[in-house]
Amino acid sequence: MNKAKRRWSKYGVRHWHRWLGLGSMIFLVFLSITGIALNHLSDLRLEQRYVRTGWLLDWYGIETPLVEASYAVEEHRATLLGERLYFNEEQVADGIEMLIGAIASPQFIVIASNDSLILLTHSGALVERMLLSGQVSSGAQAIGQVGEAIVLLSEEVIYQSDGQVVNFAVASNINYSDVSWSLASDVPSNQLEELYDNYRGTGITAARLIADLHSGRLFTRAGPIAIDVVGVLLIALSVLGVILWLKGRSRRHTGIGRR
């Protein structure tokens, strides 16, 4: 065997096929596992599961906003983080621009934003989110209570609700000093930590994490390129496998002919 043939034998198709196969095996297993998981998102309930690992949330750049406002009501607390409204540690609404107070009525816990009322049962279950447009002149600035009646303040005008907290009308017989207004207070430190954990824990679903792993997007810009390279290597591996098969087939036919 001459020098060129020996070199081909050492670094030929079989050599590259072996090392490409070993090198891509880990990535192939990884892509297979994440692909199977993506194919069963609903069965595994991955869209309802959230990532809570701190360093992963940091990697995604999910930060916790400052507390916009917080109000104690009975033994509970309503808190606005960013635009998410929490009752104790559970999120009950989103898209809240301004929290102005919380009041306990005989029927409901009433949490007020500048443009809506969120009605909860006394155990914290959401009943209704009621918009205030058409009820008060230009948004609410405060919520309070006179006896069992809920009142709102809007541009120095006091509005009183009916017994079901459905309709509001101007209450000319009620003075500002007659009302027990809801006042903001600080969130206790232990509850604040749990709120922050819950806020960050609902930012990334397990489904998104697996999809980002599968596509390589989790690893910044280089990730998708790396996945593309793996795809090219698998194509090359397949082509080299076909070449080896054809070479082996050719040798067998040649051997048969010689006999």
Side-chain angles (χ1 to χ4, degrees), residues 137-212:
S137 56
S138 44
Q141 286 89 49
I143 185 172
Q145 201 166 19
V146 177
E148 293 184 353
I150 303 296
V151 298
L152 295 173
L153 179 68
S154 176
E155 294 187 333
E156 300 184 355
V157 178
I158 294 175
Y159 295 80
Q160 181 178 347
S161 74
D162 59 16
Q164 299 301 315
V165 198
V166 174
N167 298 305
F168 284 82
V170 174
S172 56
N173 60 327
I174 297 177
N175 297 316
Y176 186 90
S177 58
D178 297 331
V179 181
S180 297
W181 297 105
S182 178
L183 300 175
S185 58
D186 293 332
V187 183
S189 57
N190 60 331
Q191 190 174 11
L192 185 60
E193 296 233 351
E194 191 166 352
L195 281 171
Y196 284 159
D197 286 343
N198 289 348
Y199 185 96
R200 282 162 56 90
T202 55
I204 300 296
T205 64
R208 178 180 170 185
L209 175 62
I210 291 173
D212 289 347

Side-chain angles (χ1 to χ4, degrees), residues 15-51:
H15 171 86
W16 288 111
H17 186 267
R18 181 189 306 121
W19 288 107
L20 284 175
L22 289 173
S24 60
M25 180 177 64
I26 296 173
F27 291 99
L28 187 59
V29 171
F30 169 77
L31 291 174
S32 298
I33 292 172
T34 53
I36 291 171
L38 287 174
N39 201 38
H40 295 278
L41 290 180
S42 58
D43 298 332
L44 299 174
R45 300 178 62 192
L46 296 178
E47 292 174 331
Q48 287 81 45
R49 301 177 188 272
Y50 291 90
V51 176

Side-chain angles (χ1 to χ4, degrees), residues 189-248:
S189 57
N190 60 331
Q191 190 174 11
L192 185 60
E193 296 233 351
E194 191 166 352
L195 281 171
Y196 284 159
D197 286 343
N198 289 348
Y199 185 96
R200 282 162 56 90
T202 55
I204 300 296
T205 64
R208 178 180 170 185
L209 175 62
I210 291 173
D212 289 347
L213 284 169
H214 188 76
S215 66
R217 288 193 299 269
L218 183 64
F219 309 105
T220 66
R221 293 182 179 180
I225 296 174
I227 297 298
D228 292 343
V229 170
V230 173
V232 171
L233 290 178
L234 291 175
I235 293 171
L237 192 64
S238 301
V239 172
L240 292 176
V242 172
I243 293 173
L244 285 173
W245 177 76
L246 291 174
K247 288 179 67 176

Side-chain angles (χ1 to χ4, degrees), residues 71 78 99-103 110-113 142-143 182-183:
Y71 295 84
L99 183 64
I100 63 169
I103 291 293
V110 183
I111 303 174
S113 73
I143 185 172
S182 178
L183 300 175

Side-chain angles (χ1 to χ4, degrees), residues 57-82:
L57 295 171
D58 291 338
W59 184 266
Y60 273 97
I62 296 179
E63 299 178 355
T64 308
L66 296 174
V67 173
E68 299 293 337
S70 184
Y71 295 84
V73 50
E74 293 186 328
E75 69 274 18
H76 308 292
R77 178 167 291 277
T79 305
L80 185 64
L81 277 180

